[in-house]
Amino acid sequence: MHARYTWRTLLREASLILLALVFLVPLVGLLNVSLKPQDSQTGALAFAFPPTFDNYGAAWNQAALGAALANSFLITIVSVVLIIALAAMAAYPLARVTRGWSRYTFFFVIGGLLIPGQLALLPLYATMRDLDLLGSLWSVILINVGQQMPFSVFLYTMFLRELPLDYEEAALLDGCGPLRSFVTVVFPLLRPVTGTVVILNAVGIWNEFFTPLLYLGGSDNTTAPVAIYGFVSQYVSQWPLIFAGLVISVIPILVVYFALQKHIIKGFAGGLKG
């Protein structure tokens, strides 16, 4: 029996459509300004006619976006891989061991979510300087991994607690040790939450501005957000070039997001489907 289509349903759908249109306004403005000539005086939502794609070429060349995007890709991929490996392995004993130390360790790890990053700013900068990592991509990678570990461990731990022990017990009966059981049996079952960890961390790391600016400043290495920031100055801001650079830099992470978006809800739900 089909549900009746009532005025409440119509009102709900109209509200959702209106909300979607509101969220589309900044995107329309972003694309529109990126297609305007640099001397255009019209507003952000006034359609560019005729549109020009010269801003994309100028932004790519003047900001050296090719090298910046390559650095952003490298930082994001290496950081996310390390986060997945370390967070999953750290969460496994926290979820499976029932002793008191496991619970206190879990609370200690997620306590990192409550610590403002600004408190560790000077000590971390001094540590990277002493390790001679300033200007190196590894400084940004290590900072990103440390910052994202608490939340990632939390997601993996909560998901593992809902995962039945049957598969692991069967693997142990077949002679698998704990490490081999985790790698071959448990980790493949973590695909939903791993998708969540990947997309949330990748978006955050890709868009990170302050960390690369601080640790890579003064070097030849830069990331896409920092490179685009080069178009902003005290007296002149080249908005068409800035917006064109933003469009170029956002495309890769949007592709990743749309490819993995179905895993986000599964990962937060903390259970297996099917």
Side-chain angles (χ1 to χ4, degrees):
M1 185 176 180
H2 297 288
R4 291 187 352 180
Y5 191 88
T6 64
W7 65 269
R8 290 188 179 88
T9 306
L10 176 62
L11 182 61
R12 189 183 305 114
E13 291 180 352
S15 301
L16 291 174
I17 293 173
L18 180 61
L19 185 62
L21 292 175
V22 170
F23 277 99
L24 281 175
V25 170
L27 180 60
V28 172
L30 174 68
L31 292 172
N32 195 41
V33 174
S34 71
L35 296 173
K36 291 186 176 184
Q38 295 188 37
D39 58 354
S40 175
Q41 301 298 319
T42 58
L45 296 180
F47 287 101
F49 188 82
T52 175
F53 291 91
D54 294 342
N55 296 324
Y56 290 88
W60 181 272
N61 294 322
Q62 294 182 30
L65 276 181
L69 287 171
N71 288 334
S72 292
F73 270 114
L74 183 60
I75 289 172
T76 302
I77 292 172
V78 175
S79 298
V80 170
V81 169
L82 289 175
I83 290 169
I84 291 172
L86 296 175
M89 288 191 292
Y92 185 53
L94 294 177
R96 289 296 184 246
V97 178
T98 57
R99 295 170 187 166
W101 66 263
S102 176
R103 182 177 60 181
Y104 293 125
T105 303
F106 174 68
F107 289 143
F108 176 78
V109 171
I110 64 174
L113 295 172
L114 306 177
I115 301 176
Q118 293 82 353
L119 290 179
L121 195 60
L122 290 177
L124 285 175
Y125 187 87
T127 301
M128 293 301 167
R129 180 198 60 201
D130 295 340
L131 293 174
D132 197 25
L133 289 177
L134 291 180
S136 168
L137 299 183
W138 279 108
S139 61
V140 180
I141 291 171
L142 293 175
I143 296 299
N144 286 332
V145 172
Q147 288 178 337
Q148 304 302 327
M149 277 294 290
F151 186 59
S152 300
V153 170
F154 169 77
L155 288 178
Y156 273 118
T157 303
M158 301 308 294
F159 191 90
L160 279 163
R161 286 178 177 174
E162 299 297 326
L163 199 65
L165 291 169
D166 302 348
Y167 303 103
E168 297 163 66
E169 292 173 349
L172 292 175
L173 290 175
D174 289 338
C176 288
L179 180 59
R180 186 180 176 188
S181 174
F182 171 76
V183 173
T184 61
V185 177
V186 178
F187 189 74
L189 297 175
L190 300 179
R191 244 182 338 185
V193 71
T194 298
T196 303
V197 171
V198 167
I199 191 61
L200 293 181
N201 287 304
V203 170
I205 293 170
W206 182 270
N207 293 323
E208 178 65 40
F209 172 76
F210 183 70
T211 300
L213 179 67
L214 180 64
Y215 293 100
L216 300 180
S219 70
D220 294 332
N221 293 322
T222 188
T223 59
V226 178
I228 295 170
Y229 181 70
F231 292 122
V232 180
S233 64
Q234 183 177 359
Y235 301 106
V236 179
S237 295
Q238 304 177 63
W239 293 113
L241 295 184
I242 293 172
F243 281 48
L246 289 173
V247 172
I248 294 172
S249 66
V250 81
I251 289 175
I253 202 64
L254 277 180
V255 171
V256 175
Y257 176 80
F258 286 124
L260 298 177
Q261 63 175 335
K262 66 179 182 179
H263 294 296
I264 295 179
I265 300 301
K266 291 182 181 179
F268 277 124
L272 289 176
K273 187 175 182 180

